[in-house]
Amino acid sequence: MGMKKILIIEDDISISEVERDYLEVSGFDVDIEHDGVKGLKRALDEDYNLILIDVMLSGMDGFSIIKALRKQKDTPAIMVTARNDEIDKIRGLGLGIDDYVTKPFSPNELVARVKAHINRYELLKNNKIKPKEVIEHRGLVIDPEKREIFVNGNEVELTNKEFELLMLLVGTVNKVFTKEEIFTKVWGFDAEEDIPTLTVHIRKLREKIEYDPSNPQYIMTIWGVGYKFKA
């Protein structure tokens, strides 16, 4: 196994250098782009194990970068935001961001999250090699091998995290998963303060697969505990 490659797209030179230093000390090979347009081009042209993307960039903002990236690649991506408001976070997550960190952040936490997402991604890729049977539940059809979801014959597109979330729940129908348990298994680390992230993903998943998201028939909320997939 060669050295893992990270791309940092960040217009603040000092922040990008701190990120690079901590990641290099942890054994990563790191490239930096300070311009959004150049960053996206590099992300598409080269193969990285993970990309760190700042929200506010010259040339092209972080949301536009992730939107363009997700049309071609599913490389894990962590968004870095200086504005601690939920709207930015939710917009980023909805576009297929795997995680976010808010400035100022602990470099050690950043490195831990980077490692967690790279490990999860590789685990998923390795598991995809094994043949998996198509899963069917009352009009919902999931092909794990092709990562395709159909609702009443119509294909729906899920982000990486939405797909992982659905696969976890549907993997053991009627089992109640606590919010903390889901977060640890899907995001790969324990972070109770980020539970709102899970709530956003559940809502978006319901919007895509439920006939009536406000009255779900697949993903049930178990109040005070978590969620389950109803058989």
Side-chain angles (χ1 to χ4, degrees), residues 7-10 51-55 57 61-63 65-66 69 77-81 97:
L7 174 63
I8 296 172
I9 309 175
E10 165 67 71
I51 302 171
L52 279 173
I53 307 171
D54 190 43
V55 174
L57 291 161
D61 70 31
F63 294 119
I65 291 173
I66 192 65
L69 179 70
I78 298 176
M79 187 164 272
V80 181
T81 174
I97 283 287

Side-chain angles (χ1 to χ4, degrees), residues 165-166 168-170 172-183 187 195-206 210 213 216 218-230:
L165 183 54
L166 179 59
L168 173 66
L169 294 172
V170 82
T172 315
V173 294
N174 291 330
K175 170 180 162 59
V176 179
F177 290 90
T178 67
K179 292 179 180 180
E180 292 75 17
E181 188 180 0
I182 296 171
F183 203 93
W187 273 261
I195 291 301
T197 299
L198 171 58
T199 310
V200 169
H201 277 74
I202 290 285
R203 178 170 58 78
K204 288 187 175 293
L205 188 53
R206 280 175 172 158
E210 299 281 4
Y218 297 123
I219 299 173
M220 316 303 289
T221 299
I222 310 303
W223 294 105
V225 183
Y227 303 95
K228 73 171 185 178
F229 188 95
K230 186 179 179 183

Side-chain angles (χ1 to χ4, degrees), residues 28 84 146:
F28 293 102
N84 191 15
K146 296 179 181 176

